[in-house]
Amino acid sequence: MAFLKVVPLEKALEVVQSFKISPGIEEVPIEKGLGRIAAEDIYSPIDVPPFDRATVDGYAVRAEDTFMASEASPVRLKVIGSVHAGEEPKFKLGKGEAAYISTGAMLPGNADAVIQFEDVERVNGEILIYKPAYPGLGVMKKGIDIEKGRLLVKKGERLGFKQTALLSAVGINKVKVFRKPKVAVISTGNEIVPPGNELKPGQIYDINGRALCDAINELGGEGIFMGVARDDKESLKALIEKAVNVGDVVVISGGASGGTKDLTASVIEELGEVKVHGIAIQPGKPTIIGVIKGKPVFGLPGYPTSCLTNFTLLVVPLLLRALGREGKIGKKVARLKHKVFSVKGRRQFLPVKLEGDLAVPILKGSGAVTSFIDADGFVEIPETVESLDEGEEVEVTLFKGW
Ligand SMILES: Nc1nc2c(c(=O)[nH]1)N[C@H]1C(S)=C(S)[C@@H](COP(=O)(O)OP(=O)(O)OC[C@H]3O[C@@H](n4cnc5c(N)ncnc54)[C@H](O)[C@@H]3O)O[C@H]1N2
Ligand code: MOO
């Protein structure tokens, strides 16, 4: 392994592409389905509504019986029964007949319209109709909402409340979903303290641990926080070994560079193999991609924005693939609010905030977590470009849309 032998991003992505993780499929009850990723196309097994039903409280009629109705000469129909919601009508309408019907009830045979009760006059066992009805009036036709065979959820689609509502509408209460890829997350550094503890001089709170776990959870995986490793080989080695047993993938933040306390690469090499150490991008140059016991291991830089940007570039595509999801990456064309400079020889991912059609560069640096949090996306500046001018048209890759 060569420490910090920088490779182009494409080479790093090739290595990621060569990883195979397939967590498999499981069936879960629908109440456990929210946020999960569908493992198959789901089609409607029934029509919704499953029968022609009344959309108003009133009278079911044969529309043709009412065609001659007028204010001056109302049509008279005999009320032969009633149907309430949940009942199956046991009769059919004959010529000149009507039936009382409730909203949501099934139309009796031969009925093709429902006139709301406000529009008729009931006189003993009959109704008087003053205006013609037309077929379909006051009726929700069988299958008009969802027809049998309609594709409800696509394989790879995330189940939100709209999807679970659709599945409920057609009576589905179990769903096949991809198992969550387990990602074991480690933070490193003597200065890193879990939130909730008091900070001593020189210490900072762990941002990456929570951020990575929840980014993984949001994607549909399972982020498992393993803890903070101290800057000593034994502590890091023990935690990485544990992480490899727990996760399908391991993500470590910090200690990725080549400093005396930056141990991640040498520990990965001891336990397995480092495939990449150093990518020609900014931020995120000191990034490691390795394999231990056949499992992908990522060593991301400690700087939160570098860490999260490289997570987006390298780990997200792997997890999306494991979940059978297509990465729908949104793009937007904008104009740069002001001139920016870039590092020659490194492809820069410049975080920007969108203000209408303007892309406002965020220049706090990759050590600031808010460079990532405040950004709507990034502008990719090629290795050969040293600056972009104010007003220049740029393509912004949006962070949302995973
Ligand atoms: N001589 C060089 N020094 C550095 C270089 C270099 O090329 N030569 N690269 C710089 C760049 S760029 C980056 S990015 C960082 C990344 O280095 P490491 O991955 O080794 O990260 P650390 O040194 O462990 O930490 C960097 C920074 O981030 C803070 N940090 C670490 N973990 C967390 C966490 N979980 N939550 C919040 N903040 C965290 C840490 O305290 C440091 O301030 O190296 C530069 N140096
Ligand atoms: O590579 Mo560092 O990640 O430039 O900020």
Side-chain angles (χ1 to χ4, degrees):
M1 175 203 61
F3 277 96
L4 274 173
K5 187 173 173 289
V6 173
V7 299
L9 178 63
E10 283 68 27
K11 167 76 188 151
L13 288 171
E14 257 173 45
V15 173
V16 173
Q17 190 63 30
S18 72
F19 292 144
K20 306 235 173 325
I21 51 167
S22 42
I25 291 169
E26 63 183 339
E27 191 170 70
V28 296
I30 193 87
E31 61 271 22
K32 299 268 182 220
L34 190 72
R36 302 297 298 270
I37 311 299
E40 59 180 9
D41 290 341
I42 306 174
Y43 296 90
S44 177
I46 60 164
D47 281 316
V48 178
F51 49 86
D52 291 352
R53 71 181 185 201
T55 62
V56 290
D57 293 305
Y59 291 89
V61 299
R62 295 154 31 118
E64 61 182 285
D65 289 351
T66 70
F67 288 163
M68 302 306 288
S70 68
E71 281 292 331
S73 164
V75 163
R76 232 171 235 277
L77 299 179
K78 187 177 175 204
V79 179
I80 60 158
S82 62
V83 200
H84 297 287
E87 290 174 3
E88 186 184 356
K90 295 284 189 295
F91 56 87
K92 287 183 182 168
L93 296 187
K95 192 169 167 43
E97 292 178 341
Y100 180 80
I101 192 162
S102 314
T103 300
M106 189 171 180
L107 259 64
N110 297 334
D112 59 3
V114 177
I115 306 172
Q116 60 178 5
F117 63 76
E118 296 91 327
D119 293 346
V120 306
E121 193 180 333
R122 177 128 186 189
V123 183
N124 300 322
E126 290 183 330
I127 47 171
L128 298 181
I129 298 166
Y130 294 90
K131 205 170 81 177
Y134 54 86
L137 173 73
V139 178
M140 189 172 188
K141 294 291 282 180
K142 173 180 172 176
I144 192 81
D145 191 359
I146 302 167
E147 86 261 27
K148 186 174 172 179
R150 171 175 154 177
L151 179 62
L152 300 174
V153 175
K154 276 177 92 171
K155 179 178 172 182
E157 196 174 336
R158 189 192 194 97
L159 302 177
F161 74 90
K162 290 188 177 175
Q163 287 70 26
T164 57
L166 270 179
L167 296 178
S168 298
V170 302
I172 292 176
N173 69 341
K174 284 186 228 133
V175 58
K176 284 198 176 115
V177 294
F178 286 106
R179 278 184 199 282
K180 294 181 176 191
K182 289 189 177 139
V183 185
V185 173
I186 296 175
S187 298
T188 68
N190 289 346
E191 76 282 23
I192 304 300
V193 175
N197 293 282
E198 202 185 319
L199 287 183
K200 299 207 176 74
Q203 296 184 326
I204 59 162
Y205 285 123
D206 180 10
I207 300 169
N208 299 341
R210 184 78 271 125
L212 288 170
C213 281
D214 286 343
I216 292 156
N217 292 335
E218 263 192 35
L219 265 172
E222 184 180 350
I224 305 164
F225 187 59
M226 305 299 298
V228 182
R230 301 198 45 86
D231 288 326
D232 70 74
K233 232 175 175 168
E234 290 322 304
S235 163
L236 185 59
K237 199 169 167 183
L239 212 50
I240 293 182
E241 278 181 311
K242 219 164 117 186
V244 170
N245 289 331
V246 166
D248 302 306
V249 179
V250 176
V251 177
I252 305 154
S253 74
S257 149
T260 51
K261 296 263 185 193
D262 294 329
L263 306 165
T264 309
S266 58
V267 172
I268 295 174
E269 185 71 7
E270 265 180 42
L271 295 171
E273 188 195 347
V274 169
K275 300 223 174 236
V276 170
H277 186 196
I279 306 176
I281 52 176
Q282 151 72 41
K285 176 178 141 194
T287 288
I288 306 157
I289 307 174
V291 184
I292 301 173
K293 289 191 186 161
K295 297 189 178 172
V297 179
F298 293 86
L300 304 177
Y303 279 156
T305 285
S306 312
C307 172
L308 296 173
T309 304
N310 268 14
F311 173 81
T312 308
L313 293 175
L314 301 169
V315 188
V316 169
L318 176 67
L319 295 180
L320 288 178
R321 187 151 50 83
L323 284 162
R325 293 183 67 189
E326 288 163 36
K328 288 184 214 120
I329 310 236
K331 307 249 185 194
K332 186 180 157 70
V333 173
R335 294 191 178 278
L336 265 191
K337 183 149 187 206
H338 51 77
K339 185 178 174 105
V340 287
F341 293 91
S342 185
V343 189
K344 201 173 172 197
R346 273 166 87 184
R347 193 176 316 171
Q348 190 180 355
F349 294 90
L350 174 75
V352 293
K353 185 160 182 53
L354 288 169
E355 283 177 6
D357 285 342
L358 285 181
V360 186
I362 300 177
L363 302 171
K364 283 186 191 173
S366 48
V369 66
T370 48
S371 298
F372 189 90
I373 306 293
D374 293 346
D376 294 305
F378 57 75
V379 173
E380 207 172 314
I381 309 177
E383 293 80 341
T384 46
V385 174
E386 284 180 73
S387 66
L388 292 178
D389 286 327
E390 179 184 327
E392 199 164 329
E393 195 174 272
V394 288
E395 191 179 59
V396 180
T397 303
L398 303 172
F399 282 135
K400 45 182 182 239
W402 289 348

